[in-house]
Amino acid sequence: MAVASRYLPQSHRLRLAILAAVAISLFVPLIARLWYLQVIKETAFVERAADNTTETIIELAPRGRILDAKGRVLVDNRASILVTIDKEEMASVPVDDLQELFYDLATEISRSGNLTKVTEIESAYRSNRYGPFAEVPVVQDISEELQIYLAEYSYKFPGVNTTVTTVRDYPYGSLAAHILGYVGLLSEDEISSVALKAKTYLANDEIGKSGIELFYEDALRGTPGRKVVTVDKFNNILEINEEIPAKAGSDVQLTIDIDLQALAEQELARGLSTARQQPTKFEEEGVVIFNAPAGAMVVMDPRDGSILAMASHPTFDPELFVSGISEDDFDDLTDPGNFLPLLNRAIQGTYPPGSTFKPFTAYAALDTGLIGSRGILGIDDPFYDEGVFLIPSCEGGTCRFQNAGEAAYGDVDLRLALTYSSDVYFYNLAASFDILPGFDLESVQVAAKYFGYGSRTGVTLAGEGSGRIPTPASRRDAYRENPDAFLTGSWLTGDTLNTSIGQGDVLATPLQIANSYAALVNGGTLYAPNLGQRILDPITGETEVEFAPRVLKEIFLPDAFSDPILEGLAAVTTWRSEIGTEGTAYNAFKDFPHEEWPVSGKTGTSEKQVENALIADYGLFVGWGPNPDPEYVAVVILEEAGFGGQVAAPVVRNYFEMIARNSVPAYLSQAEKDQIAREEATKASFNTNNEIDQPNEEDGVS
């Protein structure tokens, strides 16, 4: 090549030289730049790369809604502005200035309408539940004006930020509060729970604490989103490494009908108010005033165990928990002096069922043959009730038992014993179980357990009470634990008598009573009561899970057993003899539309010792209809209110009459009420303006 080049023309050699010069001029800067970047700037780039970090951003997911049986929203979500403290940034504030900062922040928040104490902010900041780099929530639901103010004067509040989050919203206010429940911040125990880690709970997250919010937490809780990003030292996102979108929680639809629920709460409150207005009751020890401070009501469908309404009084406002309940408010809600508003008496209150228990003693007598061909009585055989019963061959304990007021009913058979609620008739049955050979003294207890007494019903709510069915064994155990509470650890015949009429140590929740009657009137199927109907996709509304009726057991209940019991109970609301003897709820139902909507029932009055050793009457009533295939069973209990036939039966009567006449009022949400108010105001304004603009005939226009 070198030899050949000598023979190239001069012009060709010149062009090659120029190309070589150009190539060299291009490569020299490139090589110089590479040397500069790799050698001279190596340290700077290493330092800059070290400033880039990987962070995980959690995107909160909204909780699912809670709906009633007709799809109306009972619990929703709404946007809320939250004040937070950045613990990492706040750590740079001098200790002496920190207290002043907290004071200024509490002052500004309080001025905006959210009363906040300095100690509350300081307590949140110093809480061990939040790590050193956490954003600590301080106050929910601040105004937009305060949010703007804190942003404008951020130099005065280093480490104080605001963010928009979602909180629970209650379109119907406090209605169904005990059913719906409330949410609150995770406790220390909940934070460490392995069961919670599947849905990525953080220290400042909320969780269902009671009611449906707690029981269906797994469905209602959304799955938070997760984004892993690379950011520089100025917190600018350089790269998204991984992204999982947030998934909203599922909606839960209940069996509750909000109109029936509202009616139950209104009638329960009215019944208690009416009971307080009764004339004072006189006892030997003094005067008993009908305080009627509290009560409960349950309405269910006996055909499948669905709960249609459940009321407990006094109630509470779940809105108190939305922004974090204050210590004073929580103390008020848990104060026995305020009658424990947070207590759901329908499932957690346990009461002696009184005479509402008698149908199950009757069942025990029929099932064992005590009433029957080999027993002491036939179904139609009369037993003479003289108002008093003496235990045969009684040698210890109480030997004399009586009807209320020693009322004598004369000849009563099984049906009339239920209609009149004759204690003496059932005392005779109980004594026979205890004394006669060939019969088990625990026959009443066995029958009661068939119908669900003494164990939880399995309702889809947490915290349910189990009640109590006393036995000789349980009496011995109770005596060993607390001998001062009992005269003896032995089971006496008198204990069997008290048990037979739902007194003594018998305790039941209102829901247990309702469920036992549901089984009695539906032919013997004992259901686990349901509040949840289905779980729905929050986007499409399609059913994800359908909850079928849950059968606990099938009770042996032939017509030969159920017919006389139900016939006697049908007469409770309708029977009045020629001599004026009435069913115990006759007066409450005497003008009820029985022809179109037949109702049966059972009254009960249980006794409880209150202050000064006085005995207070708790009024109970169970009703069902329309017969012969009831769709509703309702139970009401009114504490310290008087006799069941006088105070509790009218509550169910009023409730059923609204249903029978198809006049249950539609209960409006607050938004619906506001809309109606706006429409009425607009209409009134239009009418006023129209009247002003109308021409007057005196002006020559006709």
Side-chain angles (χ1 to χ4, degrees):
M1 292 295 294
V3 176
S5 65
R6 289 181 300 174
Y7 301 100
L8 291 173
Q10 184 66 29
S11 60
H12 286 186
R13 287 198 297 271
L14 181 61
R15 284 197 291 269
L16 287 173
I18 293 172
L19 286 173
V22 170
I24 292 171
S25 67
L26 291 173
F27 276 102
V28 168
L30 178 62
I31 293 170
R33 182 63 177 169
L34 288 173
W35 178 80
Y36 174 80
L37 293 175
Q38 293 182 8
V39 179
I40 302 299
K41 298 293 290 183
E42 177 185 10
T43 302
F45 281 124
V46 169
E47 291 176 353
R48 184 179 300 178
D51 288 337
N52 297 340
T53 58
T54 299
E55 291 190 2
T56 300
I57 302 172
I58 300 297
E59 179 188 358
L60 298 180
R63 288 177 73 83
R65 303 173 302 168
I66 302 176
L67 317 175
D68 88 334
K70 296 178 180 177
R72 290 168 289 191
V73 180
L74 306 181
V75 182
D76 206 344
N77 300 302
R78 62 176 173 82
S80 172
I81 304 174
L82 171 68
V83 176
T84 64
I85 290 176
D86 186 328
K87 292 191 74 171
E88 182 181 16
E89 186 175 351
M90 192 72 76
S92 63
V93 178
V95 176
D96 294 340
D97 297 338
L98 200 60
Q99 192 69 20
E100 183 178 354
L101 189 156
F102 288 159
Y103 177 83
D104 291 343
L105 181 59
T107 299
E108 294 301 332
I109 295 174
S110 296
R111 282 176 179 170
S112 71
N114 295 58
L115 297 180
T116 304
K117 299 177 181 177
V118 175
T119 54
E120 293 173 354
I121 298 176
E122 187 172 10
S123 176
Y125 171 69
R126 301 192 185 284
S127 173
N128 293 328
R129 68 185 290 120
Y130 304 107
F133 307 106
E135 289 277 347
V136 180
V138 177
V139 177
Q140 290 264 28
D141 277 344
I142 67 166
S143 64
E144 292 183 2
E145 290 77 12
L146 179 59
Q147 182 185 32
I148 294 171
Y149 175 85
L150 292 176
E152 288 180 350
Y153 294 91
S154 58
Y155 63 89
K156 294 175 57 179
F157 303 101
V160 177
N161 303 306
T162 62
T163 185
V164 178
T165 184
T166 59
V167 296
R168 291 312 238 173
D169 184 49
Y170 303 92
Y172 294 90
S174 63
L175 199 64
H178 290 96
I179 297 172
L180 302 175
Y182 60 91
V183 297
L185 286 175
L186 286 161
S187 67
E188 297 292 343
D189 292 339
E190 289 166 338
I191 290 174
S192 61
S193 172
V194 175
L196 296 178
K197 294 181 180 178
K199 288 204 173 182
T200 319
Y201 287 79
L202 303 176
N204 59 345
D205 279 353
E206 292 185 321
I207 191 172
K209 296 289 187 178
S210 71
I212 294 296
E213 294 276 24
L214 170 59
F215 194 89
Y216 289 102
E217 169 67 18
D218 286 347
L220 291 167
R221 165 77 176 177
T223 303
R226 182 172 177 268
K227 184 186 292 185
V228 180
V229 299
T230 300
V231 298
D232 61 19
K233 65 179 180 180
F234 301 106
N235 216 31
N236 297 314
I237 295 177
L238 303 177
E239 183 181 6
I240 298 176
N241 305 318
E242 180 186 357
E243 185 171 10
I244 301 174
K247 181 181 178 183
S250 298
D251 294 340
V252 175
Q253 186 169 19
L254 306 182
T255 59
I256 294 295
D257 182 303
I258 201 63
D259 298 331
L260 293 177
Q261 176 68 26
L263 184 61
E265 294 191 22
Q266 291 164 3
E267 291 300 332
L268 176 62
R270 183 183 302 173
L272 289 166
S273 177
T274 301
R276 286 192 288 269
Q277 299 169 26
Q278 294 177 96
T280 303
K281 176 183 176 182
F282 291 89
E283 297 280 1
E284 293 180 3
E285 299 88 349
V287 177
V288 175
I289 298 174
F290 295 108
N291 293 313
M297 183 172 182
V298 176
V299 184
M300 63 187 303
D301 187 339
R303 299 170 298 179
D304 61 7
S306 297
I307 297 176
L308 307 177
M310 178 186 287
S312 181
H313 186 92
T315 187
F316 67 97
D317 186 356
E319 188 73 30
L320 288 172
F321 293 88
V322 168
S323 301
I325 190 167
S326 70
E327 185 176 344
D328 290 342
D329 284 340
F330 190 78
D331 289 343
D332 287 342
L333 293 178
T334 55
D335 184 357
N338 294 331
F339 306 104
L340 304 173
L342 285 182
L343 180 70
N344 184 354
R345 286 171 162 80
I347 66 168
Q348 296 173 314
T350 54
Y351 309 91
S355 293
T356 63
F357 192 78
K358 288 175 180 175
F360 308 103
T361 299
Y363 174 87
L366 291 164
D367 188 41
T368 60
L370 185 66
I371 294 179
S373 58
R374 75 179 187 92
I376 60 171
L377 288 170
I379 292 174
D380 301 319
D381 291 345
F383 172 81
Y384 190 74
D385 177 357
E386 58 183 351
V388 175
F389 181 82
L390 300 176
I391 298 176
S393 305
C394 181
E395 296 180 354
T398 302
C399 299
R400 186 179 188 274
F401 291 77
Q402 64 187 45
N403 290 329
E406 294 191 26
Y409 298 110
D411 286 332
V412 293
D413 60 8
L414 175 59
R415 295 177 181 83
L416 283 178
L418 291 167
T419 300
Y420 297 152
S421 200
S422 165
D423 290 344
V424 169
Y425 183 93
F426 290 95
Y427 290 149
N428 182 52
L429 297 179
S432 299
F433 280 131
D434 204 56
I435 297 170
L436 293 181
F439 293 97
D440 185 352
L441 66 84
E442 294 188 37
S443 295
V444 173
Q445 290 91 329
V446 170
K449 290 177 181 179
Y450 287 161
F451 286 88
Y453 289 95
S455 59
R456 295 181 178 89
T457 66
V459 65
T460 47
L461 283 179
E464 180 187 10
S466 60
R468 182 173 64 210
I469 293 295
T471 63
S474 69
R475 169 59 58 80
R476 287 193 298 270
D477 293 341
Y479 182 76
R480 280 195 294 266
E481 293 177 7
N482 187 10
D484 294 336
F486 303 92
L487 295 175
T488 175
S490 301
W491 182 270
L492 304 176
T493 301
D495 296 313
T496 304
L497 268 63
N498 280 327
T499 300
S500 73
I501 62 165
Q503 287 282 176
D505 293 336
V506 181
L507 291 175
T509 67
L511 180 58
Q512 282 179 319
I513 298 172
N515 207 37
S516 67
Y517 272 84
L520 182 65
V521 305
N522 71 19
T525 302
L526 185 70
Y527 289 101
N530 268 345
L531 271 166
Q533 187 175 151
R534 58 179 61 91
I535 294 176
L536 306 172
D537 184 283
I539 306 301
T540 67
E542 295 179 355
T543 298
E544 295 179 340
V545 180
E546 186 89 26
F547 298 111
R550 297 173 293 147
V551 177
L552 295 178
K553 67 179 71 171
E554 294 289 350
I555 304 165
F556 177 65
L557 188 61
D559 293 344
F561 291 3
S562 62
D563 285 352
I565 294 175
L566 295 178
E567 288 165 7
L569 297 174
V572 167
T573 62
T574 59
W575 172 254
R576 179 180 175 85
S577 70
E578 295 179 355
I579 61 173
T581 312
E582 302 166 345
T584 52
Y586 174 81
N587 284 327
F589 284 86
K590 62 184 177 182
D591 55 350
F592 188 85
H594 288 287
E595 295 77 12
E596 299 84 21
W597 220 86
V599 174
S600 301
K602 183 69 191 79
T603 58
T605 304
S606 60
E607 296 181 340
K608 180 182 177 182
Q609 183 173 310
V610 292
E611 58 185 32
N612 301 323
L614 295 178
I615 301 298
D617 295 323
Y618 281 40
L620 300 94
F621 185 76
V622 188
W624 57 94
N627 294 320
D629 299 308
E631 300 173 24
Y632 304 88
V633 169
V635 170
V636 169
I637 181 164
L638 307 180
E639 298 181 12
E640 300 178 40
F643 290 110
Q646 296 175 359
V647 296
V651 175
V652 175
R653 175 251 151 76
N654 294 340
Y655 191 85
F656 279 171
E657 185 171 14
M658 298 292 278
I659 296 174
R661 300 190 186 282
N662 197 29
S663 57
V664 175
Y667 193 82
L668 303 180
S669 68
Q670 189 58 53
E672 290 170 328
K673 293 176 183 177
D674 292 343
Q675 178 63 26
I676 291 174
R678 287 192 294 269
E679 291 174 355
E680 291 179 347
T682 301
K683 183 178 179 181
S685 176
F686 173 80
N687 290 339
T688 300
N689 293 334
N690 195 38
E691 289 175 3
I692 294 174
D693 294 340
Q694 286 296 321
N696 194 314
E697 291 187 5
E698 294 180 358
D699 295 332
V701 180
S702 60

PDB file of all heavy atoms in Angstrom, residues 584-600:
ATOM      1  N   THR A 584    -102.612 -12.144  78.754  1.00  0.00           N
ATOM      2  CA  THR A 584    -101.781 -11.133  79.413  1.00  0.00           C
ATOM      3  C   THR A 584    -101.438  -9.936  78.520  1.00  0.00           C
ATOM      4  O   THR A 584    -100.975  -8.914  79.017  1.00  0.00           O
ATOM      5  CB  THR A 584    -100.474 -11.769  79.918  1.00  0.00           C
ATOM      6  OG1 THR A 584     -99.853 -12.477  78.845  1.00  0.00           O
ATOM      7  CG2 THR A 584    -100.753 -12.730  81.064  1.00  0.00           C
ATOM      8  N   ALA A 585    -101.635 -10.052  77.219  1.00  0.00           N
ATOM      9  CA  ALA A 585    -101.389  -8.911  76.318  1.00  0.00           C
ATOM     10  C   ALA A 585    -102.666  -8.485  75.609  1.00  0.00           C
ATOM     11  O   ALA A 585    -102.608  -7.775  74.604  1.00  0.00           O
ATOM     12  CB  ALA A 585    -100.310  -9.261  75.302  1.00  0.00           C
ATOM     13  N   TYR A 586    -103.819  -8.897  76.133  1.00  0.00           N
ATOM     14  CA  TYR A 586    -105.082  -8.575  75.463  1.00  0.00           C
ATOM     15  C   TYR A 586    -105.290  -7.066  75.357  1.00  0.00           C
ATOM     16  O   TYR A 586    -105.678  -6.551  74.298  1.00  0.00           O
ATOM     17  CB  TYR A 586    -106.249  -9.214  76.221  1.00  0.00           C
ATOM     18  CG  TYR A 586    -107.599  -8.802  75.686  1.00  0.00           C
ATOM     19  CD1 TYR A 586    -108.139  -9.416  74.564  1.00  0.00           C
ATOM     20  CD2 TYR A 586    -108.327  -7.777  76.292  1.00  0.00           C
ATOM     21  CE1 TYR A 586    -109.370  -9.028  74.057  1.00  0.00           C
ATOM     22  CE2 TYR A 586    -109.557  -7.383  75.796  1.00  0.00           C
ATOM     23  CZ  TYR A 586    -110.073  -8.003  74.682  1.00  0.00           C
ATOM     24  OH  TYR A 586    -111.292  -7.612  74.186  1.00  0.00           O
ATOM     25  N   ASN A 587    -105.048  -6.352  76.437  1.00  0.00           N
ATOM     26  CA  ASN A 587    -105.294  -4.905  76.425  1.00  0.00           C
ATOM     27  C   ASN A 587    -104.383  -4.185  75.425  1.00  0.00           C
ATOM     28  O   ASN A 587    -104.801  -3.211  74.789  1.00  0.00           O
ATOM     29  CB  ASN A 587    -105.091  -4.322  77.821  1.00  0.00           C
ATOM     30  CG  ASN A 587    -106.246  -4.643  78.740  1.00  0.00           C
ATOM     31  OD1 ASN A 587    -107.393  -4.738  78.297  1.00  0.00           O
ATOM     32  ND2 ASN A 587    -105.964  -4.843  80.027  1.00  0.00           N
ATOM     33  N   ALA A 588    -103.170  -4.661  75.292  1.00  0.00           N
ATOM     34  CA  ALA A 588    -102.246  -4.018  74.356  1.00  0.00           C
ATOM     35  C   ALA A 588    -102.683  -4.227  72.913  1.00  0.00           C
ATOM     36  O   ALA A 588    -102.421  -3.383  72.050  1.00  0.00           O
ATOM     37  CB  ALA A 588    -100.833  -4.548  74.564  1.00  0.00           C
ATOM     38  N   PHE A 589    -103.366  -5.358  72.625  1.00  0.00           N
ATOM     39  CA  PHE A 589    -103.707  -5.715  71.247  1.00  0.00           C
ATOM     40  C   PHE A 589    -105.210  -5.726  70.974  1.00  0.00           C
ATOM     41  O   PHE A 589    -105.627  -6.206  69.917  1.00  0.00           O
ATOM     42  CB  PHE A 589    -103.141  -7.106  70.926  1.00  0.00           C
ATOM     43  CG  PHE A 589    -101.659  -7.127  70.679  1.00  0.00           C
ATOM     44  CD1 PHE A 589    -100.774  -7.254  71.736  1.00  0.00           C
ATOM     45  CD2 PHE A 589    -101.148  -7.021  69.401  1.00  0.00           C
ATOM     46  CE1 PHE A 589     -99.405  -7.287  71.525  1.00  0.00           C
ATOM     47  CE2 PHE A 589     -99.786  -7.051  69.172  1.00  0.00           C
ATOM     48  CZ  PHE A 589     -98.900  -7.180  70.240  1.00  0.00           C
ATOM     49  N   LYS A 590    -106.019  -5.177  71.871  1.00  0.00           N
ATOM     50  CA  LYS A 590    -107.466  -5.361  71.734  1.00  0.00           C
ATOM     51  C   LYS A 590    -108.059  -4.707  70.492  1.00  0.00           C
ATOM     52  O   LYS A 590    -109.094  -5.145  70.001  1.00  0.00           O
ATOM     53  CB  LYS A 590    -108.186  -4.880  72.988  1.00  0.00           C
ATOM     54  CG  LYS A 590    -108.023  -3.411  73.315  1.00  0.00           C
ATOM     55  CD  LYS A 590    -108.717  -3.096  74.631  1.00  0.00           C
ATOM     56  CE  LYS A 590    -108.518  -1.648  75.056  1.00  0.00           C
ATOM     57  NZ  LYS A 590    -109.155  -1.378  76.366  1.00  0.00           N
ATOM     58  N   ASP A 591    -107.447  -3.661  69.949  1.00  0.00           N
ATOM     59  CA  ASP A 591    -107.966  -3.053  68.724  1.00  0.00           C
ATOM     60  C   ASP A 591    -106.990  -3.229  67.567  1.00  0.00           C
ATOM     61  O   ASP A 591    -106.986  -2.450  66.611  1.00  0.00           O
ATOM     62  CB  ASP A 591    -108.278  -1.571  68.937  1.00  0.00           C
ATOM     63  CG  ASP A 591    -107.081  -0.794  69.466  1.00  0.00           C
ATOM     64  OD1 ASP A 591    -106.075  -1.439  69.835  1.00  0.00           O
ATOM     65  OD2 ASP A 591    -107.142   0.444  69.504  1.00  0.00           O
ATOM     66  N   PHE A 592    -106.171  -4.270  67.643  1.00  0.00           N
ATOM     67  CA  PHE A 592    -105.221  -4.575  66.575  1.00  0.00           C
ATOM     68  C   PHE A 592    -105.960  -5.252  65.418  1.00  0.00           C
ATOM     69  O   PHE A 592    -106.924  -5.989  65.641  1.00  0.00           O
ATOM     70  CB  PHE A 592    -104.126  -5.511  67.112  1.00  0.00           C
ATOM     71  CG  PHE A 592    -102.987  -5.746  66.163  1.00  0.00           C
ATOM     72  CD1 PHE A 592    -101.921  -4.873  66.105  1.00  0.00           C
ATOM     73  CD2 PHE A 592    -102.987  -6.857  65.318  1.00  0.00           C
ATOM     74  CE1 PHE A 592    -100.860  -5.089  65.233  1.00  0.00           C
ATOM     75  CE2 PHE A 592    -101.940  -7.078  64.445  1.00  0.00           C
ATOM     76  CZ  PHE A 592    -100.872  -6.196  64.397  1.00  0.00           C
ATOM     77  N   PRO A 593    -105.540  -5.058  64.162  1.00  0.00           N
ATOM     78  CA  PRO A 593    -106.227  -5.677  63.014  1.00  0.00           C
ATOM     79  C   PRO A 593    -105.902  -7.174  62.880  1.00  0.00           C
ATOM     80  O   PRO A 593    -105.235  -7.606  61.932  1.00  0.00           O
ATOM     81  CB  PRO A 593    -105.710  -4.874  61.818  1.00  0.00           C
ATOM     82  CG  PRO A 593    -104.361  -4.401  62.239  1.00  0.00           C
ATOM     83  CD  PRO A 593    -104.487  -4.106  63.705  1.00  0.00           C
ATOM     84  N   HIS A 594    -106.389  -7.968  63.846  1.00  0.00           N
ATOM     85  CA  HIS A 594    -106.072  -9.399  63.860  1.00  0.00           C
ATOM     86  C   HIS A 594    -106.630 -10.135  62.646  1.00  0.00           C
ATOM     87  O   HIS A 594    -106.052 -11.138  62.213  1.00  0.00           O
ATOM     88  CB  HIS A 594    -106.628 -10.043  65.134  1.00  0.00           C
ATOM     89  CG  HIS A 594    -105.886  -9.672  66.383  1.00  0.00           C
ATOM     90  ND1 HIS A 594    -104.642 -10.161  66.682  1.00  0.00           N
ATOM     91  CD2 HIS A 594    -106.229  -8.844  67.412  1.00  0.00           C
ATOM     92  CE1 HIS A 594    -104.241  -9.659  67.842  1.00  0.00           C
ATOM     93  NE2 HIS A 594    -105.176  -8.862  68.299  1.00  0.00           N
ATOM     94  N   GLU A 595    -107.746  -9.648  62.102  1.00  0.00           N
ATOM     95  CA  GLU A 595    -108.363 -10.353  60.977  1.00  0.00           C
ATOM     96  C   GLU A 595    -107.428 -10.379  59.771  1.00  0.00           C
ATOM     97  O   GLU A 595    -107.303 -11.391  59.081  1.00  0.00           O
ATOM     98  CB  GLU A 595    -109.698  -9.697  60.583  1.00  0.00           C
ATOM     99  CG  GLU A 595    -110.772  -9.784  61.648  1.00  0.00           C
ATOM    100  CD  GLU A 595    -110.556  -8.777  62.772  1.00  0.00           C
ATOM    101  OE1 GLU A 595    -109.698  -7.857  62.593  1.00  0.00           O
ATOM    102  OE2 GLU A 595    -111.193  -8.916  63.836  1.00  0.00           O
ATOM    103  N   GLU A 596    -106.778  -9.259  59.512  1.00  0.00           N
ATOM    104  CA  GLU A 596    -105.880  -9.191  58.364  1.00  0.00           C
ATOM    105  C   GLU A 596    -104.462  -9.641  58.704  1.00  0.00           C
ATOM    106  O   GLU A 596    -103.725 -10.116  57.826  1.00  0.00           O
ATOM    107  CB  GLU A 596    -105.800  -7.752  57.817  1.00  0.00           C
ATOM    108  CG  GLU A 596    -107.113  -7.190  57.320  1.00  0.00           C
ATOM    109  CD  GLU A 596    -107.955  -6.605  58.450  1.00  0.00           C
ATOM    110  OE1 GLU A 596    -107.367  -6.280  59.516  1.00  0.00           O
ATOM    111  OE2 GLU A 596    -109.180  -6.499  58.276  1.00  0.00           O
ATOM    112  N   TRP A 597    -104.081  -9.514  59.972  1.00  0.00           N
ATOM    113  CA  TRP A 597    -102.688  -9.744  60.358  1.00  0.00           C
ATOM    114  C   TRP A 597    -102.657 -10.372  61.751  1.00  0.00           C
ATOM    115  O   TRP A 597    -102.325  -9.711  62.736  1.00  0.00           O
ATOM    116  CB  TRP A 597    -101.932  -8.417  60.357  1.00  0.00           C
ATOM    117  CG  TRP A 597    -100.534  -8.442  59.828  1.00  0.00           C
ATOM    118  CD1 TRP A 597    -100.150  -8.316  58.544  1.00  0.00           C
ATOM    119  CD2 TRP A 597     -99.324  -8.581  60.600  1.00  0.00           C
ATOM    120  NE1 TRP A 597     -98.777  -8.352  58.440  1.00  0.00           N
ATOM    121  CE2 TRP A 597     -98.235  -8.512  59.691  1.00  0.00           C
ATOM    122  CE3 TRP A 597     -99.041  -8.748  61.947  1.00  0.00           C
ATOM    123  CZ2 TRP A 597     -96.905  -8.607  60.090  1.00  0.00           C
ATOM    124  CZ3 TRP A 597     -97.718  -8.858  62.349  1.00  0.00           C
ATOM    125  CH2 TRP A 597     -96.666  -8.791  61.431  1.00  0.00           C
ATOM    126  N   PRO A 598    -102.974 -11.659  61.885  1.00  0.00           N
ATOM    127  CA  PRO A 598    -103.059 -12.294  63.217  1.00  0.00           C
ATOM    128  C   PRO A 598    -101.706 -12.311  63.930  1.00  0.00           C
ATOM    129  O   PRO A 598    -100.680 -12.653  63.326  1.00  0.00           O
ATOM    130  CB  PRO A 598    -103.534 -13.714  62.901  1.00  0.00           C
ATOM    131  CG  PRO A 598    -104.135 -13.630  61.534  1.00  0.00           C
ATOM    132  CD  PRO A 598    -103.374 -12.575  60.807  1.00  0.00           C
ATOM    133  N   VAL A 599    -101.724 -11.948  65.200  1.00  0.00           N
ATOM    134  CA  VAL A 599    -100.506 -11.860  66.005  1.00  0.00           C
ATOM    135  C   VAL A 599    -100.645 -12.727  67.250  1.00  0.00           C
ATOM    136  O   VAL A 599    -101.697 -12.738  67.894  1.00  0.00           O
ATOM    137  CB  VAL A 599    -100.223 -10.407  66.434  1.00  0.00           C
ATOM    138  CG1 VAL A 599     -99.040 -10.346  67.393  1.00  0.00           C
ATOM    139  CG2 VAL A 599     -99.947  -9.545  65.218  1.00  0.00           C
ATOM    140  N   SER A 600     -99.588 -13.438  67.577  1.00  0.00           N
ATOM    141  CA  SER A 600     -99.482 -14.174  68.831  1.00  0.00           C
ATOM    142  C   SER A 600     -98.378 -13.543  69.670  1.00  0.00           C
ATOM    143  O   SER A 600     -97.588 -12.728  69.169  1.00  0.00           O
ATOM    144  CB  SER A 600     -99.145 -15.647  68.568  1.00  0.00           C
ATOM    145  OG  SER A 600    -100.119 -16.263  67.766  1.00  0.00           O
TER     146      SER A 600
END
